[in-house]
Amino acid sequence: MTSSNPAVSSASSIASATPGRLGLWVMLSGTFLVVLDFFIVNVALPSMQHDLQASAGTLQLVVAGYGLATAAGLVTGGRLGDLFGRRRMFMLGLLLFTLASAACGVAPNAGLLVAARLLQGLAGALLQPQVLAMIGLAYAGEDRTRAFAAYGLTLGLAATLGQLVGGALIHADLAGLGWRSCFLINVPIGLLALVLAPRVVPPLAQGRGDSRLDLAGMALVAAGSVAVVLPLVEGRQQGWPLWSWLCLAVAVPLWGLFAGQQRRLAARGGAPLVAPVLLANRRFVTGLFTTLAFYAGNASFYFVLALYLQQGMGLGALHSGIVFTALAVGFFATSMAGARIARRFGGTPPIALGALVLAAGHALQCANVAGWPGHTHVVAWMVPLLFVQGAGLGMVMAPLVSTVLAGLPPQHAGVASGVLSMVQQAGNALGVALVGILFYGQLGHGGDAAGHASALGVALLYLMGTALLVAVLHRTGVRQRQVAAGRGKPDSAEATR
């Protein structure tokens, strides 16, 4: 990651002022809320089912509806920011997300809760791409590096602390609200951010002068996103029915139609949803595949670890969340030290090294679980190893975002951020689906501690593979940047990463 790219050099002409620390916190509050709500709801599902008398299928919609709505709207949300202003769309998304959270918290029945979660997901799709775009355009040089590091830290902490926060809220049962507090906690945070945003977040110029929307492209990208994510989220839980395979089969021609429609629209001088120049950028596309591989091992890790701790080891939601804090501490440590680590490796974050650390952590954790199947010692040894795994996550997550978006035209910042966020969502869904097949396939009909240990071990081998793939893909991207810069062979500093 370097600071000598067009997006960085143009930042000063696009932003009227560089946001201060409070401005960055306000922007990141949107990302924190969107990601936290993806993970926190899992802890609240048993309480929801009991309180609302909801069926298992309805509970699945509470989880899947949010992810589907977010994935379907991310690219369009980014494009709206390019057209109508990032701060304006950020505030609109934050307002809608806050209102939807309140609706979730007071929902009198399961049907209205599902509807509110869909609205939450759409609001998150409008909100999240603006944060990435604003950071990329409002900061330059070291400030930009630190801002992206803070973004990655926010992503990781929201994911790793989701279970702890949810467990603590339900355990505390504030004002007798129970699971509802997991949604209502968003309301004061959202309102405070809305009050502060006009004061501390500078306006950013629109990317283009026209205000035309590619409605056909919006419909195709939404349909293609749902066709991929829906069967991945719901297919495994329903035993992979015929409709799930049909959806995946239809996804390919849908994305092909979308690509062709975008090229034709651009050739006619129109304003496509995703400019073909973005998908013609090999470094950006390689970065997207690296992101897909990383996130295919991200949410799935939290998923199987929570299952193992609660079902295999019999820990409650709160105690399980406390174990998760070791992962968060490791993540926090390397994320905060990101700039120093980058300087140690010649100024470029060692993403491949972080992926190798993560792979090693998964391998050691696998040996730990296999060595103490069902024994309480496994949790004691798990804590320091979770720190190692968190450290690897922290070395990859924050700089990966900056690396993928580096060098892109500023006028495409919003839609590029939307594409990146959509790939993150797709990676999460793909990873949970694949690891679910492996975990439950190994678990079979046995649900004892030894069975869960064996299932977690198989899942950890898969996670180790995704981490190694991230290292390989990142090295491919590094070589592409070297060729683009006309350097030929990698220098010694690059060769060590």
Side-chain angles (χ1 to χ4, degrees), residues 319-493:
H319 290 160
S320 174
I322 292 173
V323 174
F324 266 83
T325 57
L327 186 74
V329 170
F331 182 92
F332 184 81
T334 51
S335 294
M336 293 300 292
R340 291 193 297 274
I341 296 173
R343 285 195 294 269
R344 170 66 179 80
F345 287 88
T348 303
I351 292 176
L353 176 61
L356 293 176
V357 170
L358 180 59
H362 289 325
L364 292 171
Q365 198 69 268
C366 184
N368 171 45
V369 172
W372 304 92
H375 200 286
T376 53
H377 288 339
V378 73
V379 178
W381 282 104
M382 181 174 281
V383 170
L385 295 178
L386 281 173
F387 179 88
V388 175
Q389 290 165 296
L393 287 171
M395 292 174 70
V396 176
M397 188 177 287
L400 180 60
V401 171
S402 180
T403 301
V404 174
L405 296 178
L408 296 177
Q411 66 270 26
H412 300 310
V415 72
S417 300
V419 171
L420 177 59
S421 297
M422 185 182 67
V423 169
Q424 291 172 343
Q425 288 279 353
N428 283 335
L430 176 64
V432 170
L434 292 177
V435 87
I437 294 171
L438 295 172
F439 185 89
Y440 286 109
Q442 183 68 22
L443 189 62
H445 297 291
D448 60 358
H452 278 85
S454 177
L456 180 61
V458 171
L460 285 167
L461 291 176
Y462 158 80
L463 295 170
M464 184 172 63
T466 62
L468 292 174
L469 181 59
V470 168
V472 171
L473 288 172
H474 175 68
R475 288 299 304 150
T476 301
V478 168
R479 294 190 188 97
Q480 289 174 342
R481 287 192 295 275
Q482 291 167 349
V483 171
R487 290 193 290 159
K489 295 182 180 180
D491 57 38
S492 57

Side-chain angles (χ1 to χ4, degrees), residues 31-288:
T31 293
F32 182 82
L33 291 176
V34 172
V35 176
L36 183 72
D37 259 50
F38 185 83
F39 291 94
I40 199 174
V41 72
N42 294 309
V43 183
L45 289 177
S47 300
M48 288 180 194
Q49 186 171 28
H50 179 269
D51 188 26
L52 301 177
Q53 298 298 304
S55 66
T58 301
L59 287 180
Q60 290 174 10
L61 286 176
V62 170
V63 178
Y66 180 80
L68 284 171
T70 303
L74 280 166
V75 176
T76 299
R79 171 69 171 142
L80 290 172
D82 287 339
L83 291 176
F84 303 116
R86 282 102 189 184
R87 187 180 72 173
R88 182 181 300 163
M89 292 299 103
F90 170 81
M91 292 180 63
L92 178 59
L94 189 59
L95 173 62
L96 292 175
F97 193 89
T98 303
L99 293 174
S101 297
C104 288
V106 300
N109 57 60
L112 289 178
L113 177 59
V114 170
R117 283 287 283 174
L118 290 171
L119 179 58
Q120 242 193 341
L122 290 173
L126 180 60
L127 172 60
Q128 198 167 355
Q130 316 314 328
V131 179
L132 270 176
M134 289 190 296
I135 289 175
L137 295 172
Y139 295 93
E142 286 297 317
D143 288 338
R144 187 173 188 261
T145 300
R146 284 191 290 268
F148 271 121
Y151 175 84
L153 180 63
T154 301
L155 284 178
L157 290 181
T160 56
L161 294 179
Q163 181 153 316
L164 176 60
V165 172
L169 287 172
I170 293 173
H171 182 75
D173 195 21
L174 300 172
L177 291 170
W179 62 268
R180 298 179 186 274
S181 59
C182 294
F183 296 112
L184 294 176
I185 193 66
N186 297 339
V187 176
I189 299 173
L191 291 177
L192 180 60
L194 279 170
V195 170
L196 292 175
R199 296 167 173 80
V200 299
V201 178
L204 295 169
Q206 294 170 208
R208 304 179 192 179
D210 63 75
S211 58
R212 289 173 291 172
L213 275 176
D214 176 14
L215 297 178
M218 289 170 58
L220 285 171
V221 78
S225 300
V226 171
V228 171
V229 177
L230 177 61
L232 292 178
V233 171
E234 292 292 301
R236 179 195 59 78
Q237 298 185 49
Q238 297 186 22
W240 297 104
L242 178 61
W243 68 260
S244 64
W245 296 108
L246 292 177
C247 275
L248 289 172
V250 168
V252 176
L254 279 174
W255 284 109
L257 285 172
F258 173 72
Q261 184 261 350
Q262 297 293 284
R263 286 194 297 268
R264 290 191 297 273
L265 186 58
R268 296 198 305 266
L273 188 65
V274 178
V277 67
L278 283 177
L279 300 182
N281 187 313
R282 291 180 60 192
R283 286 177 292 163
F284 180 60
V285 173
T286 302
L288 292 179

